[in-house]
Amino acid sequence: MQKTYLFRLFRHSKAGFLFVAGFIIFYSIVFSKKMDMMFFPYNNMYAIDFYHSSVATTYGMKINGQLVKFTKNLYWKKDLLETSLNAYCRYLEHGNKVFMEDYIASKFKGDKQAFLLKQLTPSRESVQNWPYWFANAAGYDLKPSDGIEFMEYRFNMADGRALCTDSSVIFKTNWR
Amino acid sequence: MQAATSNKNISMALRVICYLLLFEYLLFIISGASFSYLQGNGFFSIEVDPVSWGFYLLGVPQFITSHPWASVSLDIITVTLLILFSRNPFNNKIAIPLFLLLLLFYVTLMGHLAHHNYQFGYCLLLLPFMFKETINRNFAYDAVRYFALFFYFSAGLLKITGNSWADPAHFSHLVSGQFTPYYLEHNTGFRTMVNLYFSGLPKPGYVLFLLSIILEIAALIGFFTKKFDTWLCVFILLFHFGNWLLMDIGPWGQVAFVCFVFSRQKFAD
């Protein structure tokens, strides 16, 4: 007992003990309520099979009909471009809304809601430039009047082959 | 004489980890995902996470990504502090601002990645060094080590309580979506070949999945003894590099941290 971490910490520093004990209690409550996203590390990683199939969805952006490629970049940039593109396409599919907009709308009302929406979700104006940032970061030049398309692709991987079974245009416009 | 030689080796081991941490941050810059590269990207999507909320409520990430001078300055300051930290890890006047900067970077990057990355170690590693007194640092080190053990253990535990361990097709479904942009771009190679193999054949993937759960659960041992820390370090690193091979989830950002928490017994300060 006397060798345990919490006991030693208690003997050394009451404030330190209270902080650690408080953290453990709070984290346990959060964790027991399956709110594993409450703190940064993703404990629940790959514990849930959301789709129950070998059909996978991915997104792409085209400039004048040409696919913007990014998988040859080094890991972090590839990851940033891939996940950011996925999130942006889901934003377009979801009526120009991020997940947090629905969450705040369901939990808060009035002034508090307006303030949180302003601070915790991207404004329409700030999002407008995202295609330019993405193209630029991937090494492509996006010029005014260039045609841009956001695509959704479905792959079937069940037979040990990557078969693109379907694709659809999510959003299409000309760059201003 | 023997003690002096021992201390020299010990500080060298810590220095290597500090340089590894510096290298991990430089990888963000070299690959193009640091503060500077997020500049001009006004789209973010955060989750229900009070730490992220804190920074975004203050408008800090939004300010950084809309002001080029701020993002470039922060990269320069972070690298400078990392170099200074590598030279003197026990100076908490360097570790405290560095921790805050790396936490800010983590939150900003996650907002723009629009999902949580498990690679948070480059930030957590600094926590013990924020304390000036050796005894406080050692307590903080133990706390971080327990948190790391809990992180890996709970990942395994949730796969058991969520019953995914009992589904032979679970892993094959998961890996199916991991390399799709590569197929779309026809950028195929050894890793995509391995991915196709595991996507099409659930049984070999199931064996790997069960092994990974055992490995994650094995972190529980670390709560009772430090005797197997070297083995935990080796297996967790293997797990992360295996994840990169099979699922395209890179270990960078977590490597220095894993080496640090599971081999600290060889350091002295």
Side-chain angles (χ1 to χ4, degrees):
Chain A
M1 173 67 183
Q2 291 186 359
K3 281 183 181 175
T4 60
Y5 176 74
L6 285 174
F7 186 83
R8 284 187 293 120
L9 184 61
F10 180 76
R11 293 281 294 268
H12 172 65
S13 161
K14 303 284 180 287
F17 172 80
L18 282 175
F19 179 80
V20 171
F23 180 81
I24 292 169
I25 293 166
F26 183 64
Y27 201 92
S28 304
I29 294 168
V30 162
F31 202 71
S32 66
K33 291 188 179 296
K34 297 189 185 294
M35 293 168 74
D36 52 288
M37 304 292 267
M38 196 74 175
F39 285 107
F40 347 93
Y42 191 17
N43 303 64
N44 206 3
M45 53 187 175
Y46 299 103
I48 303 165
D49 180 4
F50 289 102
Y51 304 106
H52 299 287
S53 79
S54 294
V55 176
T57 301
T58 193
Y59 297 95
M61 177 182 161
K62 284 181 175 177
I63 302 175
N64 297 327
Q66 186 197 1
L67 183 72
V68 174
K69 296 181 178 180
F70 53 79
T71 58
K72 283 191 175 160
N73 286 292
L74 288 174
Y75 177 73
W76 279 118
K77 189 169 193 174
K78 188 235 72 163
D79 193 48
L80 173 64
L81 293 174
E82 180 186 351
T83 55
S84 190
L85 173 68
N86 290 353
Y88 185 75
C89 288
R90 285 196 299 270
Y91 167 85
L92 293 174
E93 286 179 320
H94 196 51
N96 290 359
K97 281 196 290 183
V98 289
F99 152 78
M100 192 53 74
E101 281 191 59
D102 290 337
Y103 179 80
I104 292 169
S106 69
K107 297 275 177 190
F108 305 94
K109 299 281 172 236
D111 289 349
K112 201 182 273 182
Q113 185 192 82
F115 173 72
L116 290 174
L117 282 174
K118 184 172 172 277
Q119 294 301 106
L120 301 180
T121 63
S123 66
R124 299 278 188 275
E125 300 76 52
S126 64
V127 173
Q128 273 175 2
N129 231 23
W130 188 87
Y132 181 80
W133 172 85
F134 178 79
N136 217 265
Y140 289 76
D141 197 16
L142 185 61
K143 296 186 290 295
S145 81
D146 277 348
I148 51 174
E149 286 168 273
F150 288 96
M151 308 283 299
E152 182 178 341
Y153 300 90
R154 264 166 235 102
F155 280 84
N156 189 342
M157 312 281 293
D159 303 322
R161 286 180 302 163
L163 281 178
C164 185
T165 55
D166 190 18
S167 68
S168 55
V169 179
I170 299 169
F171 181 68
K172 191 176 179 178
T173 187
N174 284 325
W175 187 241
R176 60 197 149 54
Chain B
M1 179 64 191
Q2 198 178 359
T5 313
S6 169
N7 275 339
K8 197 179 169 189
N9 291 337
I10 285 159
S11 63
M12 191 60 193
L14 182 57
R15 210 169 289 278
V16 168
I17 284 174
C18 292
Y19 286 130
L20 198 51
L21 180 69
L22 172 65
F23 173 70
E24 290 193 315
Y25 191 76
L26 287 176
L27 275 183
F28 283 109
I29 298 180
I30 294 163
S31 56
S34 66
F35 281 121
S36 311
Y37 294 93
L38 295 173
Q39 191 269 122
N41 178 0
F43 176 72
F44 63 87
S45 176
I46 57 173
E47 286 151 354
V48 186
D49 166 4
V51 177
S52 297
W53 281 37
F55 283 98
Y56 276 91
L57 282 174
L58 292 171
V60 183
Q62 298 95 314
F63 180 83
I64 294 164
T65 52
S66 57
H67 292 82
W69 63 267
S71 51
V72 173
S73 304
L74 283 177
D75 269 341
I76 293 169
I77 294 168
T78 309
V79 172
T80 307
L81 285 175
L82 277 166
I83 292 168
L84 291 174
F85 177 73
S86 307
R87 293 173 66 88
N88 187 3
F90 299 125
N91 184 347
N92 71 332
K93 290 191 180 94
I94 299 168
I96 292 170
L98 186 55
F99 171 80
L100 292 172
L101 268 178
L102 290 176
L103 179 62
L104 173 63
F105 174 65
Y106 177 79
V107 167
T108 309
L109 184 64
M110 289 317 104
H112 290 277
L113 286 174
H115 75 100
H116 275 51
N117 268 16
Y118 75 85
Q119 297 101 328
F120 180 60
Y122 62 90
C123 215
L124 270 185
L125 192 155
L126 287 154
L127 219 106
F129 298 101
M130 290 165 70
F131 295 90
K132 196 175 178 183
E133 302 295 328
T134 305
I135 188 160
N136 293 340
R137 204 157 47 224
N138 288 339
F139 270 112
Y141 163 76
D142 279 338
V144 168
R145 181 179 166 279
Y146 284 130
F147 191 76
L149 288 167
F150 173 74
F151 169 61
Y152 288 104
F153 169 68
S154 63
L157 186 70
L158 284 165
K159 289 183 184 88
I160 293 171
T161 56
N163 226 22
S164 57
W165 70 276
D167 177 10
H170 183 88
F171 187 77
S172 125
H173 289 165
L174 286 182
V175 294
S176 295
Q178 294 298 114
F179 282 86
T180 40
Y182 291 84
Y183 299 119
L184 189 63
E185 296 179 13
H186 304 290
N187 178 17
T188 52
F190 177 70
R191 286 193 306 149
T192 50
M193 198 174 75
V194 174
N195 174 255
L196 283 180
Y197 175 78
F198 285 110
S199 299
L201 289 171
K203 279 181 187 167
Y206 186 50
V207 173
L208 277 183
F209 186 60
L210 290 179
L211 281 175
S212 77
I213 295 175
I214 292 168
L215 193 147
E216 287 169 336
I217 293 292
L220 186 67
I221 299 165
F223 282 100
F224 305 103
T225 175
K226 287 183 177 174
K227 215 160 57 179
F228 303 107
D229 274 15
T230 308
W231 286 108
L232 281 176
C233 178
V234 169
F235 284 125
I236 289 173
L237 286 179
L238 272 175
F239 169 73
H240 283 311
F241 280 96
N243 274 348
W244 174 77
L245 178 73
L246 298 171
M247 302 185 79
D248 198 30
I249 305 167
W252 302 111
Q254 194 78 352
V255 175
F257 175 67
V258 171
C259 293
F260 173 66
V261 285
F262 295 118
S263 53
R264 168 61 159 64
Q265 57 191 330
K266 297 186 189 69
F267 309 140
D269 52 271

